Amino acid sequence: MNIAENQIDEIIELEYNIHLFKVISPEIARKINPGEFLNIRISELAIPLFRRPFSVCDVEDDCYYLMFSTMGTGTKLLASKKPGDFIDVLGPLGNGFNIVDDFDRAIIIGGGLGVAPFPYLTRQLKGKKEIISFIGGRTKNDVITYGLENISVATEDGSLGFKGNVIELLEKELDKTDNIKSKIFACGPTSMLKALKILAEQNNIDCEISTECTMACGFGICQGCPIQSSADEDKYLLVCKDGPVFNSKEIIL
Amino acid sequence: MNIAENQIDEIIELEYNIHLFKVISPEIARKINPGEFLNIRISELAIPLFRRPFSVCDVEDDCYYLMFSTMGTGTKLLASKKPGDFIDVLGPLGNGFNIVDDFDRAIIIGGGLGVAPFPYLTRQLKGKKEIISFIGGRTKNDVITYGLENISVATEDGSLGFKGNVIELLEKELDKTDNIKSKIFACGPTSMLKALKILAEQNNIDCEISTECTMACGFGICQGCPIQSSADEDKYLLVCKDGPVFNSKEIIL
Amino acid sequence: MSKVNLNVKIGNLTLRNPIMLASGTVGYGNEISEFIDLKKIGAIVTKSISLKPRKGNKPQRIMETAAGMLNAIGLANVGIEKFIKEKIPFLKKHDVPIICNIAASTIEEYVECVSMLEHEDGIHAFEINVSCPNVKEGGLQFGNDIKMVGKITEKVRANTTKPIIIKLSPNVSYISDFAQAAKKEGADAVSAINTLVGTAFNIKTRKPKLYNITGGLSGPAIKPIALAKVFEIHRKVDIPIIGIGGIMNWQDAVEFMIAGSSAVQLGTVNFIDPTAAEKVLKGLTDYCNENNIEQVSSITGSYQLD
Amino acid sequence: MSKVNLNVKIGNLTLRNPIMLASGTVGYGNEISEFIDLKKIGAIVTKSISLKPRKGNKPQRIMETAAGMLNAIGLANVGIEKFIKEKIPFLKKHDVPIICNIAASTIEEYVECVSMLEHEDGIHAFEINVSCPNVKEGGLQFGNDIKMVGKITEKVRANTTKPIIIKLSPNVSYISDFAQAAKKEGADAVSAINTLVGTAFNIKTRKPKLYNITGGLSGPAIKPIALAKVFEIHRKVDIPIIGIGGIMNWQDAVEFMIAGSSAVQLGTVNFIDPTAAEKVLKGLTDYCNENNIEQVSSITGSYQLD
Ligand SMILES: Cc1cc2nc3c(=O)[nH]c(=O)nc-3n(C[C@H](O)[C@H](O)[C@H](O)COP(=O)(O)OP(=O)(O)OC[C@H]3O[C@@H](n4cnc5c(N)ncnc54)[C@H](O)[C@@H]3O)c2cc1C
Ligand SMILES: Cc1cc2nc3c(=O)[nH]c(=O)nc-3n(C[C@H](O)[C@H](O)[C@H](O)COP(=O)(O)OP(=O)(O)OC[C@H]3O[C@@H](n4cnc5c(N)ncnc54)[C@H](O)[C@@H]3O)c2cc1C
Ligand SMILES: Cc1cc2nc3c(=O)[nH]c(=O)nc-3n(C[C@H](O)[C@H](O)[C@H](O)COP(=O)(O)O)c2cc1C
Ligand SMILES: Cc1cc2nc3c(=O)[nH]c(=O)nc-3n(C[C@H](O)[C@H](O)[C@H](O)COP(=O)(O)O)c2cc1C
Ligand code: FES
Ligand code: FES
């Protein structure tokens, strides 16, 4: 991990107010793995005070991509940056997805902006593993498919694809699965991850989930981001340092 | 006084990092007088918390001008605005220069950015009164002559014009004056205004000075901007409401 | 959409809504009435009035801090006589309940002020300032002394039938003890909080940035502290609370009510946005409508601690 | 350019410079050592250690406020045994003075902790945390009780020859009274301030935003308050003060020294910019050089009140 000023090379506006920043940093582009994140100081002033964590969305040559939408103060300020501006970036941080495991099919599950880490994961898996992606949202405006492959969509209001949540869709599809050894990679709202954890464990599918929480430091010094370990009742893991990606069996959501 | 979002029409960069904003507001352009000011909320966030006061620098048709350089947080943020952006403006505020008095020659004295209100004053006096302007700065980079007439310059390091401060220059020139009824209009650092007050009173010249201080509200409710009244020992006047322009005899600096 | 009942009762005082303007941040209402319709506001609390006029502290009186401000105005005010003659008539014209905030350096002075105003029908209640950090006498000597707060309340109570609100100092270990003392001696409500003692130095000259050396910290920076004080009083003492401290918008006002406030006061925000009070009132009303809240007073202390 | 003497003496403790890292904001130094050279830092204060390991509070533990943060970590720590076995050896390698911060819920526990560490030569001093607002036992019950602060100091003093620093709670009326009590019982210095009690509520769910309900406020928002507390102690009590609260840059550090601090600690800023300590040290050194200050210690309490 390192702190540096990274220059924004290009800004791509996707549908439904999703911003994609292409940022120049050979160091980060070289080092970062899918599921790892960057902690960004958006203003020199004390508001917002904390850095804001963003997954690496993709990597291309000397650049990495960030994907976000405007939630509050921080993302609003970030969205006002222009190509050529610099951002203060701390990273790479955290532990990403484990893709050296023995599996043949990657089942990618993203809810809303939870898809952010998956273009990069898809890039790394493509050609090596079978990929199926299940993408969910409240309505079709929440469904982001940028950089993904082999996509099935679920929306809660039925405005696109399956009507229901993405875990229900997965459950339906899982019934049909064969004997190919699968591994799930998921990121999204905690309610989604909870339902998924149960489903994956019932079906005995290896499952990695990327968790989210408020962070101050992002690298293990503030103790602000605990998550219950399932191995040891007396122990919290840290989302920023031990995660954000955990095997679903490691933690209690 | 009123609060409104005013759009920036044009930004002119003068020498030595002086910014000139042309801002659209028929209401303010119509109402505001030289020496009055506007209190500007530069960010929606709580840093900077206070509005920042700026003199009206000039007025043309439906627009007014602001002149400033970057001092700290507020002016730095303001300088990052672009044409088309809106600023949150409270005003017009305060009492400006009295130009309906009986005088034939206006002696304008500006130190550094203290010249800001004088382009507008000059515009209003031009053709009606004789105008002489004495402009001072530490070095030639502090001397701003935009929009002024009949200018003599003093710099402390002698890099332009008279070597010394602008009040010393005025004193030198005053010795030569004739019987034309003069009135002084001044704005600049307090040390300059102090010296001027003494000189003007010794020479019995009517003298109006525009004072500066930290302001919170700008319209008389916070009591944060007191200045000692010379008429009444037990009384403070308020720079924002009773000033910022005072007759030099009204106040103790 | 159902009509929300915005009335709140603060002891014997009924207000048409819970949005008040805090002492010292709107003078006597004159200037702010150019920005908001005072008829719509719950109440206006006057700048602290003292028996004699006070000139206030020398400049520098105010400065900005991170998301806050320090002030050391020093209770500059016109004095009670001029207040009665000149300021009350103006406020009466505007049809806004006036709560007269009183500052003093002796108990007798408090009593004298209250007695002089007792028959002014324009005055709806007294807010007793025992907590100004910026004066040599009275101020914190009073506000941080629990017996003194009790005694002041007792004596004021004996001399007025109007509602009494004690404005508490946050510069204490347990503010609820002070609220308890005020309640015991007959206060109708407490206001929390006044400003926190703070300071700043110029690193070039090494001089304090304020002439008074220390000042009172207000604004968004202190909101979490103010909320904790309100919450502490609400949990421990059964007395109406007027919440104050860093309120910038309607969300903050709702948060203060949830934490235990029956009404709120807007202070520093008036300097930044003099139209804030009307915006807060509108936001609060919309919040009630959207959440099917019929009585705004039902929000008070509605925190969910599971 | 003359060479500045950056050494400061805090009672019996001499530090190579006055820039320290505050308890709870750098863990045990491991992670931050990737960003700064610990060899250059005045001292590192450990996360509060308790006799037994503590799991800490459930989430939500932290949140952002206007120019500040609330935390309710709940003294999560590895416990003293693991600290001795695993953490001290690491820190010793880095050649940085370690000040061990101790939290406890009884006087006996403080004494036991100190005794266990007395012969650890890696530990240069103890900082006794009597002021954590986020635990049920000990914490503010101690920090806001002047007799208890005196008694803890006395007992700890009786059991160690290492320098003792008492970390004071700001949630009191007169912090100097507590500094006086600490001094009387033999403390070498006081640290001021720990966090201020604050809270926040979610206006949709009406639940507290922190699991612990209240938390401790830190960051730039509290700087003016912290400065006033340091200044108050400096004026009233002759004891070295370690200034803490909202320091973000070297200017803030100088301001704290002017107000009376012999050294300073950086807390929240480490989360935002883990390289801050080195920047502050460089800025302070340059300030001394530019102002012909030969001894950094001469800045301490150099305020000019005319
Ligand atoms: C490891 C990690 C990786 C992340 N990767 C991405 C990413 O790639 N792209 C991206 O857009 N976001 C990502 N996030 C979330 C992102 O950090 C937050 O959206 C951001 O911090 C919001 O900051 P803000 O100042 O705009 O909002 P705030 O002002 O902090 O919050 C505004 C409102 O949004 C809500 N909110 C804040 N964060 C979230 C959230 N994560 N989900 C739902 N509601 C929220 C808050 O409760 C509040 O109501 C990630 C978070 C983590 C922990
Ligand atoms: C009635 C009035 C009219 C004004 N008109 C103008 C104008 O037309 N153009 C203009 O550029 N400025 C004008 N000013 C001054 C202007 O308001 C300040 O420069 C501005 O508030 C600085 O804000 P900031 O956030 O950038 O600096 P801050 O962060 O507030 O201050 C940064 C540094 O600059 C110093 N500083 C701040 N203000 C001044 C000042 N006025 N003089 C010298 N040092 C200062 C501070 O002490 C500090 O060291 C006027 C002030 C008043 C009271
Ligand atoms: C400039 C200023 C002057 C004040 N004067 C008084 C006063 O005269 N009497 C009083 O009781 N409180 C006074 N206060 C305190 C406010 O009424 C309020 O309690 C405090 O500012 C906290 O609220 P805020 O954060 O919304 O400003 C003053 C506050 C400020 C900022
Ligand atoms: C996340 C966090 C954890 C803290 N933990 C401790 C602690 O364990 N022991 C302690 O004495 N102080 C603790 N503190 C208080 C800091 O050491 C410091 O006193 C306080 O944060 C004020 O300084 P700052 O504004 O620079 O952060 C903690 C502060 C924070 C923000
Ligand atoms: S965010 Fe600080 S420890 Fe995880
Ligand atoms: S700036 Fe508020 S009264 Fe003048």
Side-chain angles (χ1 to χ4, degrees):
Chain A
M1 58 189 174
N2 196 13
I3 300 188
E5 295 278 327
N6 291 172
Q7 194 173 23
I8 301 170
D9 186 49
E10 194 185 338
I11 295 179
I12 301 147
E13 301 293 341
L14 304 181
E15 269 189 314
Y16 309 127
N17 284 314
I18 305 293
H19 312 282
L20 206 61
F21 279 15
K22 182 178 182 186
V23 186
I24 307 167
S25 167
E27 296 74 27
I28 290 175
R30 202 179 315 120
K31 274 197 260 171
I32 201 161
N33 298 307
E36 294 178 3
F37 69 99
L38 302 164
N39 212 4
I40 300 181
R41 184 171 186 184
I42 296 173
S43 167
E44 286 173 11
L45 305 178
I47 299 182
L49 184 65
F50 293 164
R51 288 172 179 269
R52 296 291 192 260
F54 296 92
S55 306
V56 61
C57 173
D58 203 353
V59 169
E60 252 179 32
D61 305 324
D62 281 355
C63 294
Y64 62 86
Y65 287 82
L66 301 174
M67 178 194 279
F68 68 98
S69 70
T70 52
M71 302 291 303
T73 316
T75 46
K76 207 168 145 190
L77 266 177
L78 190 61
S80 74
K81 305 270 176 191
K82 307 265 170 297
D85 286 354
F86 283 82
I87 48 178
D88 175 342
V89 178
L90 170 57
L93 298 171
N95 291 309
F97 295 105
N98 177 353
I99 53 174
V100 299
D101 270 6
D102 171 30
F103 66 96
D104 298 311
R105 175 192 283 148
I107 304 175
I108 289 176
I109 301 172
L113 258 168
V115 299
F118 294 132
Y120 189 26
L121 183 69
T122 300
R123 182 186 294 272
Q124 295 223 333
L125 294 174
K126 221 152 82 178
K128 299 182 196 133
K129 314 273 180 181
E130 184 192 339
I131 301 173
I132 318 181
S133 306
F134 294 92
I135 307 304
R138 243 179 8 83
T139 83
K140 71 176 166 54
N141 299 3
D142 302 317
V143 175
I144 309 160
T145 56
Y146 174 88
L148 303 179
E149 301 259 315
N150 202 4
I151 304 161
S152 304
V153 170
T155 54
E156 278 167 41
D157 66 356
S159 54
L160 193 69
F162 173 80
K163 182 174 164 140
N165 74 44
V166 69
I167 305 305
E168 289 163 0
L169 173 61
L170 173 68
E171 189 165 13
K172 214 170 73 101
E173 303 288 320
L174 264 190
D175 290 342
K176 300 181 213 154
T177 50
D178 37 46
N179 275 331
I180 300 180
K181 187 153 188 218
S182 297
K183 179 168 181 176
I184 295 174
F185 300 92
C187 181
T190 304
S191 57
M192 174 192 117
L193 298 180
K194 267 187 183 166
L196 174 64
K197 179 172 153 73
I198 296 169
L199 183 68
E201 288 167 19
Q202 276 171 352
N203 289 276
N204 223 346
I205 309 176
D206 202 19
C207 173
E208 287 191 356
I209 57 185
S210 180
T211 54
E212 257 195 28
C213 69
T214 311
M215 291 184 178
C217 69
F219 61 98
I221 61 169
C222 77
Q223 305 275 319
C225 61
I227 190 164
Q228 180 63 50
S229 153
S230 41
D232 182 350
E233 202 192 321
D234 289 332
K235 188 168 169 186
Y236 282 122
L237 298 166
L238 294 180
V239 171
C240 71
K241 217 185 149 185
D242 303 312
V245 176
F246 294 98
N247 190 293
S248 68
K249 291 185 179 155
E250 276 180 275
I251 51 168
I252 296 175
L253 281 171
Chain B
M1 58 190 172
N2 196 15
I3 299 189
E5 295 278 327
N6 290 173
Q7 194 173 25
I8 301 171
D9 187 49
E10 195 186 338
I11 296 179
I12 301 147
E13 302 292 342
L14 303 182
E15 269 188 313
Y16 310 127
N17 285 314
I18 305 293
H19 312 283
L20 206 60
F21 279 16
K22 182 178 181 187
V23 185
I24 307 167
S25 169
E27 295 74 27
I28 290 175
R30 201 178 318 121
K31 273 196 262 171
I32 201 162
N33 297 308
E36 295 177 2
F37 69 99
L38 301 164
N39 212 4
I40 300 181
R41 184 172 186 183
I42 296 172
S43 167
E44 286 173 12
L45 305 178
I47 299 181
L49 185 65
F50 294 164
R51 288 172 180 269
R52 296 290 192 260
F54 296 93
S55 305
V56 61
C57 173
D58 203 354
V59 170
E60 251 179 34
D61 306 324
D62 280 354
C63 295
Y64 62 86
Y65 287 83
L66 301 174
M67 178 194 280
F68 68 99
S69 70
T70 54
M71 301 292 303
T73 315
T75 45
K76 208 167 144 187
L77 266 177
L78 191 61
S80 73
K81 306 270 177 192
K82 308 263 171 298
D85 287 353
F86 283 82
I87 48 177
D88 175 342
V89 178
L90 169 58
L93 298 170
N95 291 309
F97 295 105
N98 178 352
I99 54 174
V100 299
D101 269 6
D102 172 30
F103 66 95
D104 298 311
R105 174 192 286 147
I107 304 176
I108 289 176
I109 302 171
L113 258 167
V115 298
F118 294 133
Y120 189 25
L121 182 69
T122 300
R123 183 186 292 275
Q124 295 224 334
L125 293 174
K126 220 152 84 179
K128 298 182 197 135
K129 313 274 179 181
E130 184 191 340
I131 302 173
I132 318 179
S133 306
F134 294 92
I135 307 304
R138 241 180 9 83
T139 83
K140 70 177 166 50
N141 300 3
D142 304 316
V143 175
I144 309 160
T145 56
Y146 174 88
L148 304 179
E149 302 260 314
N150 202 3
I151 303 161
S152 305
V153 170
T155 54
E156 277 167 41
D157 66 358
S159 54
L160 193 70
F162 175 78
K163 181 174 167 143
N165 74 44
V166 69
I167 305 305
E168 288 163 1
L169 172 61
L170 173 68
E171 190 165 11
K172 214 169 73 95
E173 302 289 319
L174 264 188
D175 289 343
K176 301 181 213 153
T177 50
D178 36 45
N179 276 330
I180 299 179
K181 188 156 189 217
S182 297
K183 179 167 181 177
I184 295 174
F185 301 91
C187 181
T190 304
S191 57
M192 173 191 119
L193 298 180
K194 268 188 183 163
L196 174 63
K197 180 173 152 71
I198 295 168
L199 183 69
E201 288 167 18
Q202 276 171 352
N203 288 276
N204 224 345
I205 308 176
D206 202 18
C207 174
E208 287 191 358
I209 58 186
S210 180
T211 54
E212 259 195 27
C213 69
T214 311
M215 290 185 180
C217 68
F219 62 98
I221 62 171
C222 76
Q223 306 275 319
C225 60
I227 190 165
Q228 179 64 50
S229 153
S230 42
D232 181 350
E233 203 192 321
D234 291 330
K235 188 169 169 185
Y236 282 122
L237 298 166
L238 295 178
V239 171
C240 72
K241 218 186 146 184
D242 303 312
V245 176
F246 294 98
N247 191 294
S248 69
K249 291 185 181 158
E250 277 180 275
I251 51 169
I252 296 174
L253 281 172
Chain C
M1 212 182 267
S2 76
K3 190 90 189 94
V4 190
N5 181 346
L6 291 169
N7 286 3
V8 292
K9 280 203 67 169
I10 301 169
N12 284 328
L13 180 67
T14 301
L15 299 179
R16 56 195 168 206
N17 69 59
I19 310 303
M20 308 166 49
L21 303 177
S23 179
T25 67
V26 289
Y28 308 101
N30 228 317
E31 295 83 3
I32 198 119
S33 71
E34 295 197 32
F35 294 101
I36 50 174
D37 185 355
L38 291 180
K39 271 200 306 296
K40 293 196 186 150
I41 302 305
I44 182 167
V45 186
T46 66
K47 173 80 193 155
S48 282
I49 309 288
S50 52
L51 197 55
K52 299 272 164 267
R54 292 179 73 123
K55 192 182 172 191
N57 291 326
K58 288 192 190 170
Q60 187 82 351
R61 284 185 178 177
I62 56 170
M63 59 165 290
E64 200 176 79
T65 68
M69 73 178 279
L70 284 171
N71 91 77
I73 307 295
L75 297 182
N77 81 91
V78 297
I80 203 154
E81 282 180 20
K82 201 162 170 189
F83 171 69
I84 295 174
K85 240 186 287 165
E86 295 177 11
K87 307 297 178 182
I88 297 183
F90 166 83
L91 283 164
K92 272 177 146 173
K93 265 198 319 222
H94 276 280
D95 180 26
V96 59
I98 312 172
I99 296 179
C100 183
N101 180 300
I102 294 175
S105 41
T106 63
I107 297 185
E108 294 68 39
E109 216 180 307
Y110 280 114
V111 169
E112 200 170 338
C113 288
V114 165
S115 307
M116 284 177 75
L117 292 163
E118 179 61 8
H119 300 292
E120 288 295 332
D121 62 351
I123 307 287
H124 288 59
F126 294 113
E127 183 176 70
I128 305 298
N129 182 0
V130 293
S131 46
C132 178
N134 303 323
V135 288
K136 291 257 142 42
E137 298 193 339
L140 288 191
Q141 271 161 276
F142 286 171
N144 291 359
D145 178 343
I146 205 162
K147 283 203 202 109
M148 197 52 110
V149 169
K151 211 174 274 172
I152 293 169
T153 311
E154 182 198 342
K155 296 291 181 192
V156 169
R157 177 74 296 165
N159 285 278
T160 181
T161 56
K162 294 190 203 278
I164 304 173
I165 303 157
I166 306 294
K167 184 159 182 184
L168 299 175
S169 167
N171 304 287
V172 299
S173 301
Y174 299 108
I175 197 171
S176 51
D177 293 347
F178 291 77
Q180 184 61 51
K183 177 187 156 89
K184 182 158 163 278
E185 301 300 343
D188 293 87
V190 293
S191 292
I193 58 176
N194 210 320
T195 53
L196 286 134
V197 178
T199 192
F201 292 88
N202 181 318
I203 65 168
K204 283 194 196 123
T205 62
R206 305 196 188 181
K207 289 189 184 162
K209 287 193 178 170
L210 296 173
Y211 175 81
N212 190 55
I213 306 177
T214 59
L217 186 65
S218 64
I222 70 167
K223 193 185 84 164
I225 302 173
L227 279 167
K229 299 282 183 192
V230 166
F231 178 71
E232 181 198 326
I233 299 170
H234 191 266
R235 299 223 77 191
K236 302 246 178 94
V237 188
D238 182 21
I239 190 168
I241 304 160
I242 300 168
I244 322 171
I247 297 176
M248 294 297 280
N249 50 42
W250 69 264
Q251 290 92 336
D252 294 340
V254 170
E255 198 177 357
F256 267 87
M257 292 191 73
I258 290 171
S261 308
S262 297
V264 298
Q265 291 180 14
L266 310 190
T268 303
V269 70
N270 295 309
F271 307 153
I272 311 338
D273 180 5
T275 68
E278 282 198 32
K279 289 182 193 157
V280 170
L281 187 58
K282 175 164 186 330
L284 174 64
T285 311
D286 292 349
Y287 172 85
C288 290
N289 280 322
E290 279 156 28
N291 291 281
N292 298 313
I293 295 167
E294 284 169 23
Q295 308 274 346
V296 76
S297 59
S298 71
I299 305 172
T300 299
S302 61
Y303 43 77
Q304 300 292 320
L305 305 184
D306 53 42
Chain D
M1 214 182 269
S2 77
K3 190 91 186 92
V4 189
N5 181 347
L6 291 169
N7 288 2
V8 292
K9 281 202 67 169
I10 300 169
N12 284 328
L13 180 68
T14 301
L15 298 179
R16 56 195 167 207
N17 68 60
I19 309 303
M20 308 167 50
L21 303 178
S23 178
T25 67
V26 289
Y28 308 102
N30 228 317
E31 295 81 4
I32 198 116
S33 71
E34 295 197 32
F35 294 101
I36 49 174
D37 185 355
L38 291 180
K39 271 200 307 297
K40 292 195 186 153
I41 302 306
I44 181 166
V45 187
T46 67
K47 173 79 193 157
S48 281
I49 310 289
S50 51
L51 198 54
K52 300 272 165 266
R54 292 181 73 123
K55 192 182 173 190
N57 291 326
K58 289 194 190 167
Q60 189 79 351
R61 284 185 178 178
I62 56 169
M63 59 166 290
E64 200 177 80
T65 68
M69 73 178 280
L70 283 172
N71 91 78
I73 308 296
L75 297 182
N77 81 92
V78 297
I80 203 155
E81 284 180 17
K82 200 162 171 188
F83 172 69
I84 293 174
K85 243 188 284 165
E86 296 178 11
K87 307 298 178 182
I88 295 183
F90 167 83
L91 283 165
K92 271 176 146 174
K93 268 199 318 227
H94 275 281
D95 181 25
V96 59
I98 313 172
I99 296 179
C100 183
N101 180 301
I102 294 175
S105 42
T106 64
I107 296 185
E108 293 70 36
E109 216 181 307
Y110 279 115
V111 168
E112 201 170 335
C113 289
V114 165
S115 305
M116 285 176 74
L117 292 164
E118 179 62 8
H119 300 293
E120 288 295 332
D121 64 350
I123 306 286
H124 288 58
F126 294 113
E127 184 176 68
I128 305 298
N129 181 359
V130 293
S131 47
C132 179
N134 302 323
V135 289
K136 292 258 142 39
E137 297 193 339
L140 286 192
Q141 269 162 276
F142 286 172
N144 292 359
D145 178 342
I146 204 161
K147 282 200 202 110
M148 197 52 109
V149 168
K151 212 173 272 173
I152 294 169
T153 312
E154 183 197 342
K155 296 290 182 192
V156 169
R157 177 74 296 164
N159 284 277
T160 182
T161 57
K162 293 192 203 278
I164 304 172
I165 302 156
I166 305 295
K167 185 158 179 184
L168 299 175
S169 167
N171 304 288
V172 299
S173 302
Y174 298 108
I175 198 170
S176 52
D177 293 347
F178 291 77
Q180 183 61 52
K183 178 187 155 89
K184 183 158 162 281
E185 301 301 342
D188 294 87
V190 292
S191 291
I193 60 174
N194 210 319
T195 53
L196 285 135
V197 178
T199 193
F201 292 89
N202 181 319
I203 64 169
K204 282 193 195 126
T205 63
R206 303 195 188 181
K207 288 189 184 161
K209 288 193 176 169
L210 296 173
Y211 175 81
N212 190 56
I213 307 177
T214 58
L217 186 66
S218 64
I222 70 168
K223 193 184 86 167
I225 302 173
L227 279 167
K229 299 283 184 192
V230 166
F231 178 71
E232 181 197 325
I233 300 170
H234 190 266
R235 298 223 78 189
K236 301 247 178 93
V237 188
D238 182 20
I239 190 168
I241 304 160
I242 300 168
I244 322 172
I247 297 176
M248 294 298 279
N249 51 42
W250 68 264
Q251 290 90 337
D252 294 339
V254 170
E255 198 177 355
F256 268 86
M257 293 192 70
I258 290 170
S261 309
S262 297
V264 297
Q265 292 180 13
L266 310 191
T268 301
V269 70
N270 295 309
F271 308 154
I272 314 329
D273 180 5
T275 68
E278 283 198 31
K279 288 183 194 158
V280 170
L281 187 58
K282 174 162 186 330
L284 175 64
T285 312
D286 292 349
Y287 172 85
C288 289
N289 280 324
E290 278 157 29
N291 292 280
N292 299 314
I293 295 168
E294 284 168 23
Q295 311 272 346
V296 76
S297 60
S298 71
I299 305 172
T300 299
S302 61
Y303 44 77
Q304 300 293 319
L305 305 184
D306 54 41

